[in-house]
């Protein structure tokens, strides 16, 4: 592992209070570290670790301008978080006035598990409306004049108060892989049980998040990449809600749906790299894949990216799929060829959208 990746995890652990000491290496390229931390979604948490070093008398040879730039970046993350939360609450209130319940998926709800919620970067607002998706989109269009994009597979997309909203009618893209069909049925059942109200919005149950969040992480890991921030989403969820999970039943389910090996290496990363208590996780073992999994999180093997040009994109996608065969085997029970066939059909159905 490169020095900057080691430095990243060192500051994340220290910033989260998961380590009593911080070993700051010499000759750190702070600009490179800041760029990596932003890319991994942990810029604010790494700065928390750096600030804790200053407070505890640990030498950090960062120049003044770089620190000011980093503080400015974190300030923007905090501002964006507030804007995202405000828009989410306003959207929930709009739907509530029309008798529509709005469940918030991932994002803001997961941030509440963090020590400092607004140090988790905000993304899209993902919502589920309990079968009212079409009526809700019509209301958004007719009453607010907002255009709704329906070119995606399992959700529509629109912009509300400057924030991108994904309005889900399915939790998983059932067009991409066969195993998603089985899990989607389970998630639809869990979505209607034991949820909690947060103002006009609704947050999913622990049972729902235990399945949906893990599958969401697996989808990102298997298709392109998974960031440290996404790993932290899982780690903090387990830390806060693990006592509410029926572990014997849950692990049996993960084995049934082919996600146990992914759950295993993800938990090992939380413990070994991020400093979380091993007692939080159940049934972990090292099957020899952990080293490759760790390297893939911190520095993905396949680095070629689509550049917007058709021929290059047509070249990147199949090569990335071929390279990611090992990741698909780790995350899913589907065969790579079955996944390829389903994915090709999904691309034909919705050419502009290809999210797993």
């Amino acid at each position: 592992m490169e020095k900057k990746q080691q430095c990243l995890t060192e500051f994340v652990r220290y910033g989260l209070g998961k380590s009593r000491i911080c070993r700051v290496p010499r000759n750190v390229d702070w600009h490179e570290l800041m760029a990596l931390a932003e890319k991994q979604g942990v810029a604010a948490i790494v700065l928390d670790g750096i600030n804790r070093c200053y407070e505890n008398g640990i030498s950090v040879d960062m120049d003044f301008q770089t620190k000011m730039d980093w503080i400015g970046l974190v300030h923007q993350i905090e501002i964006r978080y507030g804007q995202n939360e405000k828009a989410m609450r306003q959207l929930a209130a709009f739907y509530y006035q029309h008798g529509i319940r709005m469940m918030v998926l991932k994002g803001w709800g997961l941030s509440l598990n963090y020590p400092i919620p607004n140090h988790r970067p905000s993304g899209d607002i993902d919502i589920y409306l309990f079968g009212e998706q079409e009526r809700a989109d019509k209301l958004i269009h007719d009453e607010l004049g907002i255009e709704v994009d329906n070119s995606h597979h399992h959700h529509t997309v629109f912009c509300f108060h400057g924030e991108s909203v994904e309005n889900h009618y399915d939790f998983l893209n059932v067009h991409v892989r066969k195993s998603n069909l089985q899990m989607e049925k389970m998630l639809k059942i869990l979505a209607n049980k034991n949820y909690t109200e947060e103002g006009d919005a609704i947050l999913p149950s622990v049972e729902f998040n235990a399945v949906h969040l893990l599958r969401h992480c697996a989808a990102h890991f298997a298709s392109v990449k998974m960031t440290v921030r996404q790993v932290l989403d899982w780690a903090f969820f387990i830390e806060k809600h693990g006592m509410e999970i029926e572990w014997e039943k849950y692990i049996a389910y993960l084995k049934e749906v082919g996600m146990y090996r992914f759950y295993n290496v993800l938990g090992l990363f939380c413990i070994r790299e991020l400093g979380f208590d091993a007692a939080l996780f159940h049934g972990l073992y090292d099957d020899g894949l952990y080293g490759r999994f760790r390297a893939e999180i911190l520095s993905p093997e396949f680095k070629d990216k689509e550049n917007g040009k058709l021929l290059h994109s047509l070249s990147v996608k199949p090569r990335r799929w071929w390279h990611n065969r090992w990741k698909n085997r780790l995350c899913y029970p589907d065969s790579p060829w079955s996944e390829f066939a389903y994915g090709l059909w999904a691309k034909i159905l919705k050419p502009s959208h290809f999210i797993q």
Side-chain angles (χ1 to χ4, degrees), residues 110-160:
L110 296 177
S111 77
L112 302 181
N113 299 327
Y114 281 62
I116 306 175
N118 67 355
H119 280 192
R120 179 194 185 275
S122 300
D124 298 333
I125 300 173
D126 292 86
I127 62 173
Y128 175 68
L129 303 178
F130 299 91
E132 295 270 34
Q133 180 261 340
E134 288 188 14
R135 181 165 79 92
D137 281 350
K138 190 173 188 305
L139 286 168
I140 286 290
H141 179 269
D142 293 349
E143 293 197 14
L144 303 181
I146 296 174
E147 293 297 321
V148 178
D149 175 6
N150 64 0
S151 66
H152 302 256
H153 272 297
H154 62 121
H155 56 71
T156 56
V157 179
F158 58 88
C159 185
F160 181 83

Side-chain angles (χ1 to χ4, degrees), residues 87-102:
M88 180 275 295
R89 291 190 181 278
Q90 289 173 332
L91 182 61
F94 172 78
Y95 287 140
Y96 187 80
Q97 291 170 1
H98 292 85
I100 298 174
R101 298 172 298 161
M102 187 184 96

Side-chain angles (χ1 to χ4, degrees), residues 135-196:
R135 181 165 79 92
D137 281 350
K138 190 173 188 305
L139 286 168
I140 286 290
H141 179 269
D142 293 349
E143 293 197 14
L144 303 181
I146 296 174
E147 293 297 321
V148 178
D149 175 6
N150 64 0
S151 66
H152 302 256
H153 272 297
H154 62 121
H155 56 71
T156 56
V157 179
F158 58 88
C159 185
F160 181 83
H161 292 192
E163 299 293 331
S164 177
V165 179
E166 294 186 355
N167 184 3
H168 291 252
Y169 44 88
D170 285 328
F171 298 111
L172 306 174
N173 187 347
V174 298
H175 300 284
V176 170
R177 62 182 72 256
K178 188 176 181 179
S179 61
N180 281 356
L181 287 166
Q182 177 188 3
M183 189 166 289
E184 179 67 25
K185 293 176 183 178
M186 171 66 80
L187 289 170
K188 287 282 174 59
I189 293 170
L190 294 176
N192 286 280
K193 297 171 58 179
N194 302 323
Y195 54 75
T196 59

Side-chain angles (χ1 to χ4, degrees), residues 191-262:
N192 286 280
K193 297 171 58 179
N194 302 323
Y195 54 75
T196 59
E197 295 183 3
E198 177 64 45
D200 293 329
I202 289 171
L203 294 179
S205 67
V206 171
E207 295 91 341
F208 177 93
N209 275 334
V211 177
H212 184 250
L213 178 56
L214 187 65
R215 188 67 162 198
H216 178 71
C217 288
H220 275 275
F221 179 75
S223 60
V224 183
K225 66 177 181 178
M226 183 170 62
T227 64
V228 174
R229 192 272 295 162
Q230 289 168 319
V231 178
L232 284 173
D233 282 350
W234 176 250
F236 280 122
F237 167 71
I238 294 297
E239 184 176 67
K240 186 168 183 178
H241 297 289
M243 293 294 291
E244 303 168 56
I245 295 173
E246 296 181 49
W247 282 102
E248 186 175 344
K249 181 179 177 181
Y250 179 59
I251 289 177
Y253 176 74
L254 295 182
K255 291 178 178 179
E256 177 188 334
V257 298
M259 283 206 303
Y260 178 60
R261 294 172 71 217
F262 176 74

